Amino acid sequence: MKKISIFGVLVALFSGISVSGEVNFPEELLPLQVNGKEIEHSFFNKVRTLDLPAGTHRIKVKYSDLFELDYDEHEVVDSDPFWVEVELQDEDYQVRFEAIDDVEQARLFAKSPTIWFQAEQGQAVSTKPVTQQTSKPITPVKVAVTHNSASPVTSSKPAPTAGQPDAVAMLEFWWQQASPQQRAAFLEAIKKDER
């Protein structure tokens, strides 16, 4: 009987230990790669949450934000993709950067972006800029994708990779997402175009 209760106590103690932490990116920052592994985004659903184990990670990020200049005039400010290296614990983090109020500040930030990771307990973890991706052993990364669409995604094929448009892959992906009625309408439109 004592063996069971000791085992129960050990299970209870260790059940609260997480094996990875969640890293949340704001709308303006898009994670592109983690430890050399490319993150796949779809047009309608960008990956904003990563599940990363404790340890050192190299993350490729891009800044992009839209600013309204006038009534009918807008400007998108983008940075070049940049690498950062960060040491994470088994906690949840929010990626942060200095507040940007206008397009001028955004342009300055895009030239030299600086980000940090804020732990839930309030501790800030600074990042080191990485000038070049070296051949470092890749840590396994599980990417958690949150789907914002109302209908469930049932595709068995992965979404086309961001930055590498492939018409055939995109057609296959969207064909898997389409309802039978949408597929029939598409085939009918193709038949009309062939005539």
Side-chain angles (χ1 to χ4, degrees):
M1 187 71 167
K2 286 185 179 182
K3 288 182 182 179
I4 294 174
S5 56
I6 291 174
F7 179 74
V9 170
L10 289 174
V11 167
L13 286 174
F14 290 109
S15 65
I17 297 174
S18 65
V19 294
S20 67
E22 192 173 88
V23 178
N24 296 298
F25 288 81
E27 286 293 315
E28 300 87 359
L29 296 174
L30 186 66
L32 301 174
Q33 289 185 24
V34 177
N35 299 326
K37 180 181 177 189
E38 192 166 328
I39 299 170
E40 293 184 8
H41 300 276
S42 69
F43 181 74
F44 295 107
N45 192 15
K46 305 293 185 197
V47 175
R48 300 287 180 199
T49 302
L50 303 175
D51 285 336
L52 297 175
T56 303
H57 299 281
R58 289 180 178 220
I59 304 173
K60 187 178 187 180
V61 182
K62 181 177 182 173
Y63 168 77
S64 182
D65 202 358
L66 174 70
F67 290 90
E68 185 175 348
L69 302 178
D70 227 354
Y71 171 70
D72 222 10
E73 189 179 350
H74 298 82
E75 181 179 338
V76 176
V77 177
D78 290 325
S79 73
D80 289 332
F82 59 97
W83 288 91
V84 295
E85 186 173 285
V86 62
E87 177 74 31
L88 300 178
Q89 303 301 317
D90 286 332
E91 307 185 51
D92 292 341
Y93 292 90
Q94 185 70 37
V95 180
R96 304 270 189 210
F97 60 96
E98 290 294 328
I100 295 175
D101 298 322
D102 58 31
V103 71
E104 292 301 322
Q105 287 179 345
R107 288 180 193 142
L108 289 173
F109 180 81
K111 289 179 183 175
S112 180
T114 303
I115 63 173
W116 67 92
F117 290 58
Q118 187 79 36
E120 276 192 2
Q121 283 82 20
Q123 296 178 3
V125 178
S126 62
T127 60
K128 293 188 286 187
V130 178
T131 54
Q132 125 186 37
Q133 178 68 357
T134 60
S135 59
K136 183 180 178 180
I138 296 175
T139 305
V141 176
K142 180 177 119 188
V143 177
V145 179
T146 306
H147 295 285
N148 296 331
S149 60
S151 61
V153 177
T154 59
S155 173
S156 60
K157 295 192 178 243
T161 322
Q164 301 171 345
D166 178 16
V168 173
M170 291 172 67
L171 284 171
E172 288 176 357
F173 174 77
W174 287 112
W175 180 260
Q176 295 296 325
Q177 307 306 311
S179 68
Q181 297 84 7
Q182 291 170 326
R183 289 179 182 183
F186 180 74
L187 290 174
E188 192 62 37
I190 291 174
K191 288 178 185 176
K192 285 180 184 176
D193 287 344
E194 289 178 350
R195 292 179 194 152

